[in-house]
Amino acid sequence: MHIAIAGNIGSGKTTLTKMLAKRFHWTPRFEPVDNNPYLDDFYADMARWSFNLQIYFLNKRFKEVVEISKSADTIIQDRTIFEDACIFAPNLHSMGMMSDRDFTNYSDLFELMISLVKLPDLMIYIRSSIPTLVNHIGKRGREFEKSIRIDYLSGLNDRYENWIKDYKGHLIIVDGDHTDFENNPHDFQRITDQIDAELYGLFPIK
């Protein structure tokens, strides 16, 4: 099976991925952040490096999807190829941080890739407000994230909501503002109960 965690920057995707991988004995796949050769440059000059960064993510994510489709394990993935193409790239384009030419090129490549992959068996979306995201980003203290703009985060949040509203696959939504799954065992239990119901309940995912 392919389980995916979706959510804005700072929503807690990586933390939840680790916790669910441990709880269900799934194999985690994490977003390539620490060794990403473009992130520092991107946050320093978004217009210059947006296309390079998005192509980097698209390449990595497509490779992951292909590997997941061939795996016999249940994989839990921290962010998906759909978020890159449906949320991050369009947001940069609408902000004037990616040219029409680059966005068209990127979109054409994504459409080709997406014709070869399918939706995850279960998508878990962490819905968080801007204050919650800013709080989480500040706590983890990544140097390159200190220059993230509020309008950038807000644009991403709006696009996440529009995307998830029309999402066609199996979906669980976690309230990131009022669910402390990292520190409150009862909150985490509620999430795992929902997952159990989706995967192993009376009408489980086929």
Side-chain angles (χ1 to χ4, degrees), residues 5-6 8 10-23 28-31 76-79 124 126 136-137 139-140 142 174 179-184 188 191-192:
I5 310 291
N8 205 342
S11 60
K13 297 182 306 302
T14 301
T15 298
L16 187 57
T17 298
K18 291 176 181 177
M19 294 175 70
L20 292 176
K22 182 178 180 181
R23 162 65 173 76
R29 291 290 189 106
F30 297 106
E31 186 175 21
I76 182 164
Q77 184 185 24
D78 175 1
R79 186 165 285 148
I124 302 168
I126 306 174
H136 289 173
I137 291 168
K139 283 182 177 179
R140 66 191 185 190
R142 292 174 179 164
V174 174
T179 305
D180 186 4
F181 49 79
E182 183 176 12
N183 300 302
N184 188 327
F188 183 59
I191 296 172
T192 59

Side-chain angles (χ1 to χ4, degrees), residues 1-192:
M1 275 192 174
H2 177 194
I3 317 298
I5 310 291
N8 205 342
I9 301 165
S11 60
K13 297 182 306 302
T14 301
T15 298
L16 187 57
T17 298
K18 291 176 181 177
M19 294 175 70
L20 292 176
K22 182 178 180 181
R23 162 65 173 76
F24 289 102
H25 306 290
W26 293 336
T27 301
R29 291 290 189 106
F30 297 106
E31 186 175 21
V33 171
D34 292 337
N35 298 316
N36 189 313
Y38 291 107
L39 272 178
D40 286 343
D41 291 327
F42 169 72
Y43 283 122
D45 188 349
M46 296 172 75
R48 165 63 182 85
W49 294 101
S50 63
F51 181 71
N52 305 69
L53 178 70
Q54 291 307 130
I55 289 294
Y56 174 84
F57 276 128
L58 192 63
N59 175 43
K60 292 291 186 182
R61 219 82 73 180
F62 185 66
K63 286 181 179 179
E64 277 195 345
V65 170
V66 172
E67 290 170 3
I68 289 169
S69 70
K70 296 177 179 179
S71 175
D73 296 336
T74 294
I75 307 292
I76 182 164
Q77 184 185 24
D78 175 1
R79 186 165 285 148
T80 67
I81 193 172
F82 304 98
E83 294 163 80
D84 288 314
C86 299
I87 296 163
F88 282 82
N91 188 53
L92 287 165
H93 179 240
S94 69
M95 291 176 68
M97 299 294 181
M98 185 184 291
S99 70
D100 292 343
R101 178 180 60 181
D102 285 346
F103 183 65
T104 298
N105 189 9
Y106 176 91
S107 299
D108 286 347
L109 182 58
F110 171 73
E111 291 301 325
L112 173 61
M113 290 178 170
I114 212 63
S115 69
L116 303 174
V117 302
K118 62 178 184 177
L119 292 174
D121 296 294
L122 178 63
M123 181 75 75
I124 302 168
Y125 169 54
I126 306 174
R127 172 182 282 148
S128 301
S129 66
I130 298 301
T132 297
L133 297 174
V134 170
N135 181 49
H136 289 173
I137 291 168
K139 283 182 177 179
R140 66 191 185 190
R142 292 174 179 164
E143 189 65 31
F144 61 81
E145 290 182 337
K146 291 181 179 179
S147 59
I148 293 179
R149 293 164 41 167
I150 294 295
D151 62 337
Y152 178 63
L153 283 179
S154 297
L156 292 175
N157 249 15
D158 291 342
R159 290 183 182 277
Y160 263 108
E161 288 302 312
N162 289 331
W163 173 65
I164 217 69
K165 178 180 60 179
D166 298 321
Y167 186 75
K168 304 302 182 185
H170 292 275
L171 175 68
I172 291 173
I173 297 178
V174 174
D175 182 350
D177 289 344
H178 302 101
T179 305
D180 186 4
F181 49 79
E182 183 176 12
N183 300 302
N184 188 327
H186 295 292
D187 285 351
F188 183 59
Q189 179 76 45
R190 280 198 295 272
I191 296 172
T192 59

